[in-house]
Amino acid sequence: MQEQREDLHRRHGNNLYPVEFEVQFGDHELVLDVPGGVWNPTPHGVHLGTMLMGMDFSGEHVLELGTGCGIHAILLGQRNAARLTLTEIERSVLDNALHNLSKHDIDVPIDTTVADWTAVEGGPFDTLVTNPPFAKSGKRYRRYFIDTLILDAHKLVKPGGRLIFVQSSMADVPRSLRLMHENGMNVTIVGETDGPFRDYYFEDETYLREMAEIPGAYAMRDGVHYERLIVFEARL
Ligand SMILES: C[S@@+](CC[C@H](N)C(=O)[O-])C[C@H]1O[C@@H](n2cnc3c(N)ncnc32)[C@H](O)[C@@H]1O
């Protein structure tokens, strides 16, 4: 099955193909329906989910930017968030997230908004959670979504609230840490893991060359490229 998925992946050159995605967080399993056009969770999203499982969101109004199939929104609901606001660039993606939330019996109030990244109304929120686009950000400046997230967090999150996000070492960890510190945030690294490159990295020569310019972007062991995945919790 995995081989079939990777094959489809290679043919279409993107990360958007229909699948039933089963993911295990310890003994906790989610079975998500991910139709074509909705982002298939990658190890980045799974790592963020694993870290969310160890956190508590009791009583909080949580904003998730770019919710995709709703993988994190489900965990936030299960970790006692009082209200969720979910954004995406297309209504159909939000409809799929709502389907997966209902499939997992999440019954907290949920607001959905079609909005461009941080152009969201309705805050300020207690916590902002996201897995920002990077490798496939579609921007010449790939860090666009990470940088605007950090720079605009004060517009969306209450003072004392939290910004929680995942990024790869490929997206320059020291740069994110510096930017968060420059913006007065107290940063904790919640958890780190590593894993082999996604197939689609090798389809983009420009991406690979850019990554070779970032110190610490990746490591090679036995001829395999590995990236690190880091979840930050920044307190405003
Ligand atoms: C890396 S994916 C993460 C999806 C999901 N949270 C996960 O981890 O599986 C980034 C998501 O952001 C959405 N996105 C891309 N550009 C956006 C924008 N300008 N505003 C809001 N969301 C955007 C994409 O549609 C995609 O679902």
Side-chain angles (χ1 to χ4, degrees), residues 39 41 45 64 66-68 71-72 88-89 115-117 131 133 145:
W39 182 263
E64 185 184 17
T67 195
I71 177 172
H72 304 117
E88 260 298 339
I89 34 174
D116 185 19
W117 204 231
N131 173 10
F145 292 97

Side-chain angles (χ1 to χ4, degrees), residues 37-42 44-46 48 64-72 87-90 93 115-118 130-134 137 139 144-145 166:
V38 177
W39 182 263
N40 293 112
T42 63
H44 306 59
V46 173
L48 175 59
E64 185 184 17
L65 299 179
T67 195
C69 68
I71 177 172
H72 304 117
T87 79
E88 260 298 339
I89 34 174
E90 284 179 29
V93 181
D116 185 19
W117 204 231
T118 58
T130 190
N131 173 10
F134 175 68
S137 72
K139 304 279 186 190
Y144 174 87
F145 292 97
V166 62

Side-chain angles (χ1 to χ4, degrees), residues 15 30 50 55 57 131 137 159 162 171 198 219 224:
N15 188 36
L30 303 186
T50 307
M55 299 170 123
F57 298 90
N131 173 10
S137 72
R162 294 180 289 175
R198 312 296 301 155
V224 178

Side-chain angles (χ1 to χ4, degrees), residues 71-126:
I71 177 172
H72 304 117
I74 294 168
L75 298 175
L76 291 165
Q78 291 171 340
R79 305 302 302 152
N80 305 317
R83 186 174 197 101
L84 300 173
T85 295
L86 312 176
T87 79
E88 260 298 339
I89 34 174
E90 284 179 29
R91 171 58 50 194
S92 58
V93 181
L94 288 169
D95 289 343
N96 173 244
L98 289 176
H99 159 78
N100 282 318
L101 279 146
S102 140
K103 184 174 166 178
H104 290 83
D105 300 320
I106 304 301
D107 63 358
V108 298
I110 300 168
D111 309 304
T112 55
T113 309
V114 177
D116 185 19
W117 204 231
T118 58
V120 179
E121 291 174 0
F125 301 90
D126 296 301

